[in-house]
Amino acid sequence: GAGVSQSPRYKVAKRGQDVALRCDPISGHVSLFWYQQALGQGPEFLTYFQNEAQLDKSGLPSDRFFAERPEGSVSTLKIQRTQQEDSAVYLCASSRTGTRGETQYFGPGTRLLVL
Amino acid sequence: AQKVTQAQTEISVVEKEDVTLDCVYETRDTTYYLFWYKQPPSGELVFLIRRNSFDEQNEISGRYSWNFQKSTSSFNFTITASQVVDSAVYFCALSVRSKLSFGAGTTVTVRA
């Protein structure tokens, strides 16, 4: 079946602009995760949903970052007033039931460049 | 807090050589899960293997094998008879609840 998809794949924004990144999880997957990967580093956790409930947003770096999953399927990560330090790859992952320690399957990522 | 350390930044080998990637983790939880992911140049993280903290049995899956030792908090990964297509960044990750904590990654280059 189809994997996790993300759009856009690439986004260039001017400093101060708002951006919205979309994630389509694997069909039927209950849990959805967002990670941020800076150049040359491992992914860092941002936030986690189980269905439409946002259960953990401890990794969001500032109140400029906001994520939602209103119908428990597609999710959007929004970054307001982008800064240069927001430049990174944003990865989305989903897992089937959200059980502790379950395997997460990743999408191709959105590469964000803030000028 | 959870922490994953991958001390090797880069490894370069010639095709058909074996490659062993080191991973050391830290957690106070007694139940946890360990993963290896591969990130080829295309950028997508590809799941390779998963182990839980109660299963120290080491296994082989095709050209992949792993060595999980709780006594040293290590979860090493070996690619046997490497191929050019194995060139990628490999990440070790730890999960205690739901989120993954990743190491910094090891870049593997396999030369023909």
Side-chain angles (χ1 to χ4, degrees):
Chain A
V4 178
S5 61
Q6 294 185 245
S7 61
R9 292 293 311 278
Y10 303 92
K11 177 70 178 178
V12 178
K14 291 183 179 178
R15 189 162 55 94
Q17 281 185 331
D18 297 349
V19 298
L21 313 180
R22 177 188 169 105
C23 173
D24 280 87
I26 293 172
S27 179
H29 275 201
V30 167
S31 292
L32 185 147
F33 302 80
W34 284 99
Y35 293 84
Q36 180 190 58
Q37 186 176 20
L39 189 63
Q41 298 182 23
E44 297 276 349
F45 170 79
L46 293 176
T47 187
Y48 154 55
F49 291 86
Q50 190 152 344
N51 294 306
E52 67 278 3
Q54 190 173 19
L55 299 187
D56 186 346
K57 54 181 181 179
S58 61
L60 296 176
S62 77
D63 58 7
R64 297 186 295 103
F65 286 71
F66 172 77
E68 60 183 5
R69 195 186 184 198
E71 298 179 357
S73 179
V74 171
S75 175
T76 303
L77 176 67
K78 297 179 179 178
I79 310 174
Q80 297 177 325
R81 305 181 303 282
T82 52
Q83 303 294 316
Q84 287 186 321
E85 61 262 30
D86 300 334
S87 295
V89 176
Y90 291 84
L91 295 166
C92 176
S94 69
S95 66
R96 193 169 59 86
T97 67
T99 305
R100 183 179 183 180
E102 193 176 32
T103 298
Q104 296 177 27
Y105 297 93
F106 284 80
T110 294
R111 188 176 297 274
L112 173 65
L113 177 62
V114 182
L115 301 176
Chain B
Q2 283 64 243
K3 184 179 179 181
V4 176
T5 302
Q6 294 180 252
Q8 304 151 306
T9 304
E10 296 184 31
I11 297 176
S12 181
V13 297
V14 177
E15 207 169 18
K16 298 185 182 177
E17 288 185 347
D18 296 349
V19 180
T20 295
L21 307 179
D22 298 335
C23 174
V24 174
Y25 62 91
E26 295 177 29
T27 180
R28 293 184 178 179
D29 285 73
T30 55
T31 301
Y32 52 89
Y33 301 81
L34 294 162
F35 300 80
W36 278 97
Y37 283 86
K38 171 183 177 180
Q39 189 172 45
S42 61
E44 186 166 341
L45 277 166
V46 178
F47 165 72
L48 297 176
I49 57 174
R50 168 186 180 269
R51 303 301 292 178
N52 70 56
S53 54
F54 297 107
D55 185 359
E56 286 190 76
Q57 183 176 354
N58 296 311
E59 295 185 15
I60 298 174
S61 176
R63 295 188 298 110
Y64 299 153
S65 62
W66 49 94
N67 186 349
F68 176 26
Q69 294 192 347
K70 288 177 72 172
S71 60
T72 56
S73 297
S74 65
F75 185 52
N76 298 337
F77 176 70
T78 297
I79 306 170
T80 302
S82 61
Q83 302 174 1
V84 173
V85 293
D86 295 326
S87 296
V89 181
Y90 289 80
F91 291 98
C92 179
L94 167 68
S95 174
V96 172
R97 303 283 184 269
S98 295
K99 64 185 180 184
L100 291 167
S101 298
F102 287 86
T106 299
T107 301
V108 174
T109 303
V110 181
R111 309 186 308 276

